[in-house]
């Protein structure tokens, strides 16, 4: 009888081990190395193959080939009411104009891009306005655009 009981225990342990090892991960997927969530972008971050509409982008050293850099942010207070898209766009454009940059001699392939929260994002707590400088020539930048 003890042999049968021991065999049952061994089978239960093996079943639990197999179930644990083959279980599907249902939580959020971990980000790949160098991939940063948009909510974690910091002023000075440089991005390879930048997509302004993406929830994540790959951050790289500004000395590596990159296509964009976050050059300024402004954050509204948590208690502020949603000011509307037009007001947010105006604030973002003003932020970009006020930011001092160290631009290359040829700026014909560079453009400023602003990212503002949607009304739904605002309701979810996103209060940040971002100003990026982006190359229309792919990953052609190789230095920071912010003054040292």
């Amino acid at each position: 009888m003890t042999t049968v009981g021991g065999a049952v225990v061994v089978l239960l342990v093996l079943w639990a081990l197999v179930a644990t090892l083959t279980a599907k991960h249902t939580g959020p997927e971990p980000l790949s190395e160098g991939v940063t969530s948009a909510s974690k972008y910091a002023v000075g971050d440089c991005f390879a193959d930048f997509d302004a509409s993406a929830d994540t982008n790959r951050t790289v050293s500004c000395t590596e080939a990159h296509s964009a850099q976050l050059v300024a942010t402004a954050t509204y207070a948590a208690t502020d009411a949603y000011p509307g898209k037009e007001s947010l766009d105006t604030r973002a454009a003003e932020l970009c104009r006020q930011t001092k940059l160290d631009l290359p001699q040829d700026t014909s392939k560079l453009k400023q891009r602003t990212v503002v929260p949607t009304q739904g994002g605002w309701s979810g707590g996103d209060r940040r306005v971002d100003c990026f400088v982006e190359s229309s020539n792919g990953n052609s930048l190789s230095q920071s655009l912010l003054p040292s």
Side-chain angles (χ1 to χ4, degrees):
M1 194 69 163
T2 11
T3 318
V4 173
V8 169
V9 169
V10 168
L11 286 175
L12 286 174
V13 168
L14 284 174
W15 174 79
L17 182 61
V18 168
T20 301
L21 293 174
T22 60
K24 299 252 190 262
H25 175 70
T26 58
E29 289 297 316
L31 297 178
S32 300
E33 185 175 335
V35 175
T36 304
S37 171
S39 64
K40 303 289 185 202
Y41 296 165
V43 170
D45 282 353
C46 291
F47 304 93
D49 304 314
F50 182 67
D51 178 356
S53 63
D55 291 334
T56 62
N57 273 287
R58 186 167 59 94
T59 54
V60 295
S61 166
C62 292
T63 58
E64 291 183 37
H66 60 280
S67 60
Q69 183 174 8
L70 177 59
V71 296
T73 63
T75 305
Y76 286 79
T79 56
D80 287 347
Y82 181 69
K85 182 167 177 16
E86 187 176 315
S87 178
L88 289 168
D89 286 341
T90 299
R91 175 64 181 111
E94 178 184 309
L95 176 68
C96 285
R97 271 192 308 280
Q98 293 174 350
T99 301
K100 303 252 186 274
L101 298 172
D102 188 9
L103 296 172
Q105 206 164 14
D106 179 12
T107 60
S108 63
K109 301 289 184 189
L110 298 180
K111 63 181 176 181
Q112 290 184 325
R113 177 182 294 272
T114 59
V115 176
V116 300
T118 62
Q119 189 166 5
W122 188 278
S123 296
D126 183 6
R127 300 286 193 278
R128 199 170 86 184
V129 172
D130 292 335
C131 176
F132 294 88
V133 174
E134 185 176 14
S135 170
S136 61
N137 197 24
N139 292 322
S140 61
L141 301 172
S142 60
Q143 64 187 29
S144 175
L145 300 173
L146 294 173
S148 302

